[in-house]
Every structure is written in structure tokens, then in C-alpha cells.
Amino acid sequence: MSGTRRLIVAIDGPAGAGKSTVASRLAARFGLLNLETGAMYRAFALKANENSIDPGDTVALGQLAARTSITLEPTSSGNRVLLDGTDVTTRIREAAVTQAASLVSVHPPIRQWMVNLQRKLGADGGVVMEGRDIGTVVFPDADLKIFLDASPEARGERRYEQSGKSSPQEIILREIRERDDRDRNRAQSPLRPAPDAVVIDSTHLTLEEVVSQAEALVTARLAAPA
Ligand code: DC
């Protein structure tokens, strides 16, 4: 199955659309490495927070990036994330990091640094890479691009259920709208589907329905001439 090993599948979409679940299911089914680029922005944001760097200060963030190493190790249960050699897989999910990741990711020098790292990670193919700009910027020649979308309300509802209903639903929805706004309106590589992406709107679909649509797309791509 050398075709499977070399495939590059890009999955983009807003927060809470189900990208991580779909990416990990595709990775398991087709023997691909699952690379979650949001985790890289999160790891950098964690370091910025720890160093008390203003997430709006482009110059200070650029200097910090120059002395930062971020590694993703795909495992069957998701990505293990190393920040300067330390495992930060759990810490990058904290609310303060989620907020900071959304802020630090708007800066062009930070995006350029991340894009270069991500291109190196995926260079040999055999990957499903998930994020916001994979099909538009990181791998514009990806073999398959999926843009996974859902209404803010549906995504807020899912996050609310996943959080064990621990935070008020209206706060989750407000944060989703704020992150959407930043992701879609930033100057460099705003979140949008690539012209050749297949858009799956999961608002009224179950997870299994989304996964099976995505699997069918990969199967069709593998069957098509290179
Ligand atoms: O997917 P996530 O919630 O883990 O992403 C964290 C933040 O990183 C999110 O606010 C947007 C940003 N991000 C990005 O700008 N580009 C990517 N390829 C992945 C994530």
C-alpha cells in the first residue's frame, strides 16, 4: 500500500467541528500519521504565557520562537506534544492556553515558522494533517482536502457535552464565536476552504456519518490515478 503511505490528507475547519476525531479515525483506518497542528500553536502559546509575553507583541513572540523547539509524536491515542523536550500534552488543553493560542496564531512571523515546521513534518507524505490552513497554505498540493464545518451552535453544544457540562454553555458558545472571528478574519492565511476542498457540514450529521463520508473520500482518492 505505498499509495496510502505517501498520501497527504488536509483537514481544516473551525474549532469544535470534529477535525481531531475524523483525522484520528482516518489515520487508524488508512495507516497514516495524524499530525495536529493546533497542538503546536498551543505549545507555543503555553511557553509565551509562562514567559509572561504579551500575546499581541509580535517582536517578543518572534524572539521567543527562535529559542523554542516543538515536536509532535503521533500515537494511536492522539499527538504527544513536546515543548523544548518536555511533554506538555495535557497542559496545552487548559483554557488559558486555548485563549492564548488563538491570539499568538495571528502573527505572520509565528505562522511562517509553524508552516515551515509543518511542511517538514509532512514532507514524506503518509499523513493526515489537521488545522486551519493546511489545504490553503501548508500543503496546497495535498492529495485530498476536507473542510469540516458546523454551525457555531452545534459546535458549542458538542464542546459543552465533551466538557462534562462543566462550563456554562453560553460562555462556550461566546468563546467559539470569538475564536472563529479571529481565525476567519486574520490578515495572513485566514480560515477558509481551499477552492478544491470538499466541504462537509456536520451540523446535522452524526460523528459516524462524518467519518464514513471522509473515509469514502480517501478510498476514492486512493483508487484514482495519481
Ligand atoms: O485546533 P486548536 O483549537 O487546537 O487550535 C488552537 C489555535 O491554533 C486556534 O485558535 C487556531 C490556531 N491554529 C491555526 O491558526 N492554524 C492551524 N493550522 C492550527 C491552529
Side-chain angles (χ1 to χ4, degrees):
M1 286 284 263
S2 59
T4 301
R5 293 248 36 103
R6 306 179 63 83
L7 207 64
I8 295 182
V9 179
I11 303 190
D12 291 302
K19 300 185 298 292
S20 300
T21 313
V22 173
S24 73
R25 293 277 297 270
L26 290 183
R29 161 93 189 260
F30 296 98
L32 303 167
L33 290 179
N34 172 15
L35 297 167
E36 196 198 330
T37 60
M40 301 170 77
Y41 286 95
R42 285 171 179 272
F44 181 60
L46 171 65
K47 183 159 174 179
N49 277 357
E50 280 180 337
N51 285 269
S52 305
I53 290 176
D54 175 355
D57 187 338
T58 313
V59 173
L61 290 171
Q63 287 166 348
L64 186 71
R67 48 190 166 86
T68 300
S69 129
I70 295 173
T71 320
L72 287 186
E73 291 181 356
T75 75
S76 56
S77 58
N79 281 189
R80 187 161 170 259
V81 189
L82 301 180
L83 172 63
D84 299 325
T86 301
D87 188 331
V88 293
T89 311
T90 308
R91 294 190 57 209
I92 59 168
R93 301 293 155 195
E94 290 165 6
V97 177
T98 301
Q99 172 69 6
S102 171
L103 295 168
V104 301
S105 64
V106 305
H107 299 283
I110 301 306
R111 300 205 67 80
Q112 195 54 54
W113 169 57
M114 289 286 180
V115 167
N116 290 340
L117 286 176
Q118 290 155 9
R119 284 185 180 147
K120 280 190 199 131
L121 284 174
D124 294 336
V127 297
V128 48
M129 190 173 277
E130 131 263 312
R132 303 290 190 289
D133 58 345
I134 312 306
T136 50
V137 178
V138 180
F139 287 115
D141 296 327
D143 300 280
L144 173 65
K145 302 177 186 177
I146 297 174
F147 191 90
L148 203 51
D149 211 348
S151 71
E153 291 77 14
R155 291 183 283 123
E157 173 85 34
R158 289 176 199 158
R159 281 279 148 99
Y160 178 62
E161 299 291 334
Q162 283 162 2
S163 74
K165 305 189 178 177
S166 55
S167 339
Q169 202 169 348
E170 55 279 10
I171 292 183
I172 295 182
L173 181 58
R174 195 182 66 216
E175 284 171 358
I176 282 200
R177 286 190 195 281
E178 282 170 7
R179 291 175 68 199
D180 277 4
D181 191 51
R182 268 196 295 271
D183 286 351
R184 292 185 206 266
N185 295 316
R186 65 180 170 228
Q188 192 176 338
S189 49
L191 173 67
R192 62 175 59 129
D196 52 348
V198 180
V199 178
I200 302 179
D201 185 331
S202 72
T203 306
H204 302 293
L205 299 177
T206 64
L207 183 61
E208 286 310 315
E209 287 169 330
V210 178
V211 169
S212 75
Q213 282 193 21
E215 285 180 347
L217 290 169
V218 177
T219 303
R221 186 64 192 82
L222 285 170

